[in-house]
């Protein structure tokens, strides 16, 4: 998804309307954002997510640098069952967040489930990392639309800065969006996130090398 032909296409521009042509060193970040947003579109349109009953079902979204622990399957089943019984149901459940923070709403074995607040944090944001999460079928389209409304310094989000997971937290923290987030604690409890092996970072570095080579020539 990091080629100019893709990034300049109507599909990519519709998902990230604020995308600019200044992409040097950020193609991997753009690809990551487009991958998540297009996944949300697929979830919203999926056959298994249609109908009133299916709206409360959850889809599992995974990044390439996430690895499951032995407890992952039964833990996710328990978390999903807890979420589907909740009133109101969470729109998204982060399964491996960095700096998890929120109000306890339940437990699945040794894992705690926290309901995140709706106020923007100052400094390092809690609940970042989108390497593994459950996305509610009936909320996917609403999350996508809310994401398109994000802006920084008076300009639409450009898909690069801040990074996708930070923008997600800023979006969820806006009370007017009326979106509910749960978070699993502690970090790395049911899956492992390894940022040292990252396609996004590799593409970003490749873009910088190509750009520097062009300038030297």
């Amino acid at each position: 998804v990091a080629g100019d032909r893709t990034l300049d296409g109507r599909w990519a521009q519709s998902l990230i309307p604020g995308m600019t042509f200044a992409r040097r060193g950020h193609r991997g970040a753009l690809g990551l954002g487009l991958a998540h947003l297009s996944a949300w579109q697929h979830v919203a349109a999926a056959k298994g997510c249609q109908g009133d009953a299916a709206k409360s079902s959850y889809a599992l979204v995974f990044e390439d640098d996430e690895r499951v622990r032995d407890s992952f399957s039964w833990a996710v089943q328990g978390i999903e069952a807890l979420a589907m019984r909740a009133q109101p149901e969470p729109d998204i459940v982060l399964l491996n967040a960095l700096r998890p923070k929120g109000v306890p709403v339940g437990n699945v074995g040794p894992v705690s489930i926290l309901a995140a607040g709706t106020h923007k944090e100052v400094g390092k944001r809690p609940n970042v990392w989108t390497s593994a999460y459950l996305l509610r079928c009936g909320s996917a389209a609403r999350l996508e639309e809310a994401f398109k409304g994000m802006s920084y310094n008076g300009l639409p989000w450009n898909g690069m800065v801040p990074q996708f997971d930070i923008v997600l937290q800023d979006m969820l923290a806006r009370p007017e969006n009326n979106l509910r987030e749960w978070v699993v604690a502690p970090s790395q409890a049911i899956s492992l996130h390894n940022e040292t092996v990252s396609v996004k970072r590799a593409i970003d570095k490749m873009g910088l090398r190509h750009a520097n080579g062009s300038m030297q020539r």
Side-chain angles (χ1 to χ4, degrees):
V1 298
D4 281 332
R5 181 175 297 180
T6 298
L7 295 177
D8 292 338
R10 190 175 300 174
W11 163 77
Q13 296 290 329
S14 69
L15 287 172
I16 306 178
M19 191 189 308
T20 68
F21 292 99
R23 300 166 183 156
R24 187 175 62 134
H26 293 287
R27 293 175 184 271
L30 283 168
L32 183 144
L34 289 169
H36 280 283
L37 293 170
S38 61
W40 296 0
Q41 281 192 337
H42 284 296
V43 169
K47 185 177 179 179
C49 285
Q50 305 309 307
D52 291 339
K55 289 180 179 179
S56 294
S57 299
Y58 286 83
L60 175 62
V61 181
F62 242 62
E63 290 184 359
D64 64 293
D65 49 7
E66 195 78 3
R67 300 294 181 266
V68 301
R69 291 186 182 273
D70 292 340
S71 59
F72 184 83
S73 180
W74 67 260
V76 168
Q77 291 179 41
I79 294 166
E80 183 178 17
L82 187 66
M84 293 176 71
R85 292 195 303 268
Q87 293 296 330
E89 298 165 332
D91 301 290
I92 189 170
V93 183
L94 301 188
L95 300 174
N96 188 14
L98 179 64
R99 297 183 292 274
K101 181 179 179 180
V103 177
V105 294
N107 293 279
V108 176
V111 172
S112 297
I113 313 301
L114 313 176
T118 55
H119 62 281
K120 186 174 180 178
E121 298 280 346
V122 177
K124 287 189 175 181
R125 291 164 177 79
N127 306 328
V128 294
W129 283 357
T130 52
S131 52
Y133 57 90
L134 294 174
L135 179 66
R136 184 175 175 271
C137 282
S139 305
R142 199 152 58 90
L143 280 161
E144 182 197 343
E145 285 304 310
F147 220 93
K148 290 179 181 178
M150 293 302 294
S151 62
Y152 291 87
N153 299 319
L155 297 173
W157 179 58
N158 61 17
M160 297 173 284
V161 181
Q163 293 190 36
F164 177 85
D165 56 350
I166 293 176
V167 180
L168 175 64
Q169 289 308 311
D170 290 346
M171 179 193 76
L172 293 169
R174 289 186 175 182
E176 63 269 25
N177 286 330
N178 193 30
L179 294 167
R180 295 161 294 278
E181 175 190 26
W182 282 8
V183 188
V184 170
S187 298
Q188 314 275 39
I190 61 174
S191 62
L192 297 171
H193 184 55
N194 181 8
E195 289 198 315
T196 61
V197 181
S198 173
V199 173
K200 172 180 72 70
R201 289 188 177 185
I203 293 173
D204 284 347
K205 289 180 180 179
M206 187 186 304
L208 281 172
R209 286 198 299 269
H210 287 172
N212 290 336
S214 297
M215 286 188 290
Q216 290 170 3
R217 286 192 295 272

